[in-house]
Amino acid sequence: MKPCLRLLTLLCLMSFQSVFAQRPGGPQDTIYYHGNENLNIYILSSDYHKLTKDDKLQNILLDFQNKLKEIKSMVPLSSSYTIDYQYNSKIEILKSDRIASFTISEGKSLKQDFQNQALITDPGSRYHVNIGFDGLETLVNADFTQIIGEIIAELPGKDRYLRYLEYQPEATTNKAKLIQNRPSGYLDMLSLQAGVGANVFRSKFLTDITGELSLQLNQKGILRNQIYVSNNLMFSFNESNSAIINNFTNVGYRINFSNQRDKPNWLGVEFGTLTKRSGDIFQPNTMRFGFNWKAAKHITVAPQMYFDGFFKNVSPGFRIGIGL
């Protein structure tokens, strides 16, 4: 194997290793049930529509209530506390040193928050529930099956956007009513970018000026997919110091493997064709195929394969791009 091909293979392996070594988790849909002055419920889930497919959350909440009834006598009555419950694992009562907590409303008035809270999780991390409450009896006697059923009945149709959904009981029926439904996180967008690049092809060093137009599609508040067209104006100089300009026009696709909204990790494939040729650096009808990895916010690494004559002549190439 030629040294340049070995280097190209090594860079590809390093790129894939870095891309797939990602942290789990990511943004979650929020369902906020504003019950009354005694009970509020926050439900976090990677997809709010999971509630319509199974009764896992109801089972978790009912099991929590049953365990709570067994230890009622151990729960303090005269101080604030937090109940930490992990489904089928443990339940803890943690005393709080908080005297009082207040929220400042938009009208600058003060509203006292709940004295106690319950944090409920399941080992599969499908749901995280935070319940604010004052008296223990309110928590023990809450009809979670009815509340979850009313929430499900009002859920909007499934889509790929990250959602904040707020519910409040109607005054007449006391049933949970969806009063706010808004997307959060990143939405779909068009992106126009420019940059410069350094290319190596057949032991030749070529610089380029690049422009790119991409359609970026979100999935649960994270920009997850990109479809783009780009143009690489590549130039070098001959012995008489005259510019030799070649141009490649490309189409490509990238996917973001990161679950961190502000730390993307894009990897994609790109196909380009020679649309302007001068000199003898590239043969007529040269095309190229390569990977495209955004190694950092403004740095792109692209191992490539150039070919002409229906793959009769195949040569490796490499590009490092810097966005402006």
Side-chain angles (χ1 to χ4, degrees), residues 292-317:
N292 191 298
W293 175 46
K294 285 194 172 182
K297 186 175 181 180
H298 298 291
I299 299 177
T300 302
V301 177
Q304 300 164 329
M305 297 299 293
Y306 290 81
F307 56 92
D308 61 82
F310 295 100
F311 291 94
K312 291 183 179 178
N313 300 302
V314 180
S315 302

Side-chain angles (χ1 to χ4, degrees), residues 56-73:
K56 182 68 177 285
L57 181 58
Q58 291 95 312
N59 292 339
I60 292 172
L61 293 174
L62 291 176
D63 190 70
F64 166 67
Q65 281 185 314
N66 292 331
K67 295 294 189 298
L68 197 57
K69 291 174 183 177
E70 297 177 15
I71 61 170
K72 279 180 60 176
S73 60

Side-chain angles (χ1 to χ4, degrees), residues 67-294:
K67 295 294 189 298
L68 197 57
K69 291 174 183 177
E70 297 177 15
I71 61 170
K72 279 180 60 176
S73 60
M74 303 179 189
V75 179
L77 300 177
S78 58
S79 61
S80 297
Y81 55 88
T82 297
I83 303 173
D84 185 0
Y85 174 66
Q86 297 179 20
Y87 183 54
N88 284 336
S89 178
K90 69 173 183 178
I91 183 169
E92 293 183 331
I93 311 296
L94 307 173
K95 190 174 180 180
S96 171
D97 58 1
R98 182 181 65 181
I99 297 175
S101 177
F102 298 87
T103 297
I104 303 175
S105 68
E106 293 182 0
K108 305 302 181 183
S109 61
L110 294 175
K111 178 183 176 182
Q112 186 167 359
D113 294 331
F114 296 102
Q115 183 178 6
N116 310 304
Q117 67 175 340
L119 305 176
I120 303 170
T121 58
D122 71 298
S125 298
R126 295 188 64 182
Y127 300 103
H128 295 267
V129 183
N130 187 331
I131 303 176
F133 66 99
D134 287 326
L136 184 63
E137 291 300 321
T138 300
L139 191 60
V140 172
N141 296 324
D143 191 342
F144 289 121
T145 299
Q146 178 180 336
I147 292 172
I148 298 302
E150 292 172 358
I151 288 174
I152 292 174
E154 289 279 312
L155 279 177
K158 180 177 175 60
D159 59 40
R160 54 189 171 84
Y161 295 101
L162 191 68
R163 291 288 180 182
Y164 174 86
L165 306 170
E166 184 175 347
Y167 289 78
Q168 188 169 342
E170 287 184 315
T172 54
T173 64
N174 205 35
K175 290 184 177 181
K177 182 71 175 178
L178 182 64
I179 61 174
Q180 185 174 176
N181 172 14
R182 59 178 171 84
S184 59
Y186 292 119
L187 303 180
D188 299 342
M189 64 176 67
L190 283 173
S191 174
L192 181 61
Q193 301 180 40
V196 296
N199 302 261
V200 177
F201 173 73
R202 291 184 177 175
S203 301
K204 292 182 175 64
F205 178 78
L206 308 169
T207 56
D208 70 58
I209 299 174
T210 296
E212 177 183 300
L213 176 65
S214 65
L215 172 62
Q216 305 190 51
L217 303 175
N218 95 92
Q219 180 69 36
K220 289 301 178 184
I222 294 178
L223 294 175
R224 185 67 70 184
N225 299 281
Q226 282 186 8
I227 302 169
Y228 67 91
V229 292
S230 64
N231 201 72
N232 300 124
L233 188 67
M234 306 172 67
F235 57 93
S236 60
F237 296 91
N238 58 21
E239 295 178 355
S240 61
N241 208 30
S242 298
I244 301 174
I245 298 176
N246 291 273
N247 191 87
F248 277 86
T249 300
N250 320 283
V251 294
Y253 168 78
R254 299 188 190 100
I255 184 170
N256 179 14
F257 287 91
S258 174
N259 285 323
Q260 301 177 67
R261 185 180 299 167
D262 297 322
K263 294 182 179 180
N265 200 346
W266 295 96
L267 178 68
V269 293
E270 181 179 278
F271 178 81
T273 184
L274 185 65
T275 52
K276 177 180 173 56
R277 175 178 176 265
S278 63
D280 58 358
I281 298 176
F282 299 103
Q283 296 299 313
N285 302 317
T286 295
M287 299 181 183
R288 69 182 182 190
F289 176 82
F291 294 102
N292 191 298
W293 175 46
K294 285 194 172 182

